[in-house]
Amino acid sequence: MIRRVDGTVIAIIVRTASDRTFDELYQQLWWPMHRVATGLADEVSVAEDVVQDAFVATFERWGMIRDRQSAVGYLRAAVENGSRSVLRRRRTARRYRQFVVDEAVDTADHSVLRIAERGRVLEAMRTLPDRQREVITLRYVAELSDADIAQATGLSQGGVRSASSGALAALRTTLGGQV
Amino acid sequence: MNDFENTVKTALNDEVDEQVGPRRTPPAFDATRSAARRSGGAAGSRWLRPLLAAAAVVAVAIGATAAVDAISNTQRVAPATPRPGPTPTPAPAQTVTPPAPSTPPPATTTSPTQSPVAPSRATSTTWTTYHNGRYGFSAQIPAELTAGPPPTDGAGLTYRSTDGHTEETVSASAAPAGATATSQGAEYATQLSRRGELTYTNVDVTAKTFTVSGYLYGGTYVEYVRGVVGSQSVYLLVWTYPTSQRSTADAWVQHSVATFQPGPL
């Protein structure tokens, strides 16, 4: 499963125990990390790169990571940081990007209304500061606890709660009675 | 979570789901891909240090383990939390077999503590009965599982195998307004499909039960949820176990579902 540049005895020894655990982590967490990165970076192809980079970074430090929980925490932080870097790089481009929503004009079909509602929520999300948007995404897409969000973002748990409540308040204000 | 938060959550997850499409297996991991892109060469020198460090850690761990085994024959301590099975396999195509429909439960005590029950014929397992006095439900637990922490979202208890891989959680919580077996089943099905591969759903409106099952972690684990939805309470029986241990755990699931006794409906 794992391709290596080194085919040495050292690599063979490592494979006996460490690789299996890393493989398991990769199999388990690739998909959830991919979803979270998509939520954070808002683009599938970019999210795939972010997740790939995060797993490579984790793999490179695998021998120094104490246990699985530490590995998961490191991985989450790597995904979150990678997504943030991507957003910084294309912030200017995003500023001029227009979100297009299929508005429900002639029909009250539920799916159409739901798409329109989603569009309004996403537009409102884009007005939030990066930290608030990250916390909201990690909470509602990744379904992480405050403690896990704090670990991934580097905020305190109080900071996470503050960012979350601030974000929700801002969303309420922006969306008004629209949703 | 209030309605507004639910709306936000639904919108975000719908957007992500639309972008990522149906769940797919991860691509083969290529440890060289990102490193090559970042710096474009000198891969050998970059790999040497982490490989040596990893090798040293593993070698020390293997040596220490062998020494301990040789000297004392002591039993290794199992991890406290579930971890993936040793040989991850792709998600199998077949659906998880739903347990048999409810059958009259065997005579069990309803004391607030656990009480032993005669071994099950089907599994040769000794069972204990968990009874929750607050919600009035009871469930049978294989003796192989030991009590762990209470669930975070209701009253009840989680039981785990000694290796930490298999879990049975029995719980109850207040029913959301207007909740039915159909609505609760749909909610759990959605949750499972987000976390893994949903393979089976069933709702029995008359019996007020729903069943949701599927695979987690790339097919290496099975999750099985059985719910009974009353007007006041929702009673849940949730199993998680490695796919590799289905031969044992499936029989446990069937027995526990058949003997699960919800509280007042």
Side-chain angles (χ1 to χ4, degrees), chain B residues 20-240:
Chain B
V20 299
R23 185 188 178 99
R24 52 198 161 97
T25 55
F29 180 69
D30 181 354
T32 66
R33 190 180 125 197
S34 180
R37 191 173 61 231
R38 282 200 295 265
S39 57
S45 61
R46 276 200 316 279
W47 279 99
L48 191 57
R49 197 168 63 176
L51 279 175
L52 282 172
V57 169
V58 173
V60 168
I62 291 172
T65 304
V68 168
D69 283 350
I71 293 169
S72 62
N73 269 342
T74 53
Q75 195 172 12
R76 288 178 205 167
V77 177
T81 54
R83 295 197 301 180
T87 52
T89 53
Q94 77 274 21
T95 58
V96 177
T97 307
S102 296
T103 54
T108 58
T109 62
T110 55
S111 63
T113 54
Q114 299 168 23
S115 56
V117 175
S120 156
R121 270 185 210 167
T123 64
S124 300
T125 294
T126 301
W127 297 83
T128 56
T129 300
Y130 168 83
H131 177 76
N132 186 284
R134 180 178 165 196
Y135 283 93
F137 71 93
S138 58
Q140 294 202 358
I141 317 294
E144 285 85 346
L145 306 187
T146 54
T152 56
D153 54 353
L157 214 52
T158 294
Y159 290 82
R160 286 194 180 124
S161 58
T162 51
D163 65 5
H165 291 299
T166 299
E167 276 190 4
E168 179 185 7
T169 298
V170 290
S171 67
S173 57
T180 63
T182 304
S183 67
Q184 291 292 288
E187 183 171 319
Y188 279 91
T190 302
Q191 286 180 16
L192 179 52
S193 64
R194 283 186 179 142
R195 292 183 292 120
E197 181 193 2
L198 177 68
T199 59
Y200 181 85
T201 58
N202 183 54
V203 175
D204 185 334
V205 176
T206 306
K208 300 182 177 178
T209 64
F210 68 86
T211 305
V212 172
S213 184
Y215 293 101
L216 300 176
Y217 310 130
T220 57
Y221 272 71
V222 174
E223 180 165 291
Y224 181 96
V225 182
R226 172 71 159 220
V228 185
V229 184
S231 58
Q232 301 295 318
S233 307
V234 177
Y235 308 94
L236 285 178
L237 176 63
V238 181
W239 279 90
T240 308

Side-chain angles (χ1 to χ4, degrees), chain A residues 26 28 35 48 53 114 140, chain B residues 5 14 17 27 34 37 84:
Chain A
Y26 181 70
Q28 285 174 23
R35 289 189 82 252
E48 286 186 359
D53 283 354
R114 189 161 160 167
Y140 295 126
Chain B
E5 288 177 83
D14 282 355
D17 288 342
S34 180
R37 191 173 61 231

Side-chain angles (χ1 to χ4, degrees), chain A residues 3 5 24 26 28 31 34-35 42 44 48-49 52-53 59-60 63 114 117-118 122 140 143 172, chain B residues 2 5 9-10 13-15 17-19 23-24 27 30 32-34 37 47 50 57 84-85:
Chain A
R3 279 193 277 149
V5 291
E24 290 168 356
Y26 181 70
Q28 285 174 23
W31 180 252
H34 180 49
R35 289 189 82 252
D42 200 17
V44 173
E48 286 186 359
D49 284 345
Q52 167 70 11
D53 283 354
F59 182 69
E60 288 175 345
R114 189 161 160 167
E117 180 178 275
R118 188 204 314 176
L122 295 175
Y140 295 126
E143 299 185 348
R172 279 181 199 280
Chain B
N2 59 37
E5 288 177 83
K9 180 177 180 178
T10 302
N13 280 285
D14 282 355
E15 175 68 9
D17 288 342
E18 186 174 300
Q19 289 200 41
R23 185 188 178 99
R24 52 198 161 97
D30 181 354
T32 66
R33 190 180 125 197
S34 180
R37 191 173 61 231
W47 279 99
V57 169

Side-chain angles (χ1 to χ4, degrees), chain A:
Chain A
M1 175 61 76
I2 293 177
R3 279 193 277 149
R4 281 205 164 66
V5 291
D6 293 47
T8 63
V9 174
I10 291 173
I12 294 170
I13 292 171
V14 173
R15 284 191 69 84
T16 58
S18 184
D19 275 2
R20 193 181 64 197
T21 314
F22 181 84
D23 273 347
E24 290 168 356
L25 190 80
Y26 181 70
Q27 293 293 330
Q28 285 174 23
L29 295 182
W30 182 84
W31 180 252
M33 291 295 166
H34 180 49
R35 289 189 82 252
V36 173
T38 302
L40 290 168
D42 200 17
E43 195 174 320
V44 173
S45 59
V46 171
E48 286 186 359
D49 284 345
V50 166
V51 172
Q52 167 70 11
D53 283 354
F55 272 106
V56 169
T58 305
F59 182 69
E60 288 175 345
R61 288 157 185 78
W62 193 243
M64 290 165 275
I65 293 175
R66 294 188 311 276
D67 52 37
R68 185 179 183 280
Q69 194 57 38
S70 303
V72 173
Y74 182 86
L75 191 58
R76 282 182 186 142
V79 167
E80 198 270 346
N81 287 331
S83 302
R84 193 185 307 156
S85 298
V86 167
L87 287 185
R88 280 202 194 105
R89 284 199 294 273
R90 66 177 192 202
R91 187 184 302 278
T92 305
R94 286 175 63 89
R95 202 171 291 155
Y96 296 103
R97 199 170 128 193
Q98 189 175 4
F99 187 82
V100 179
V101 177
D102 294 331
E103 290 290 348
V105 177
D106 297 326
T107 173
D109 177 70
H110 177 72
S111 61
V112 176
L113 290 174
R114 189 161 160 167
I115 290 171
E117 180 178 275
R118 188 204 314 176
R120 286 190 285 270
V121 171
L122 295 175
E123 278 291 275
M125 281 284 289
R126 289 184 178 122
T127 67
L128 297 178
D130 285 352
R131 274 297 186 204
Q132 290 187 353
R133 195 170 39 73
E134 288 162 12
V135 167
I136 290 293
T137 303
L138 292 173
R139 169 164 288 168
Y140 295 126
V141 176
E143 299 185 348
L144 298 185
S145 65
D146 286 352
D148 288 337
I149 295 172
Q151 186 184 29
T153 59
L155 295 170
S156 66
Q157 289 193 46
V160 170
R161 284 190 285 273
S162 173
S164 177
S165 61
L168 289 172
L171 289 174
R172 279 181 199 280
T173 303
T174 304
L175 293 168
Q178 295 180 77
V179 298

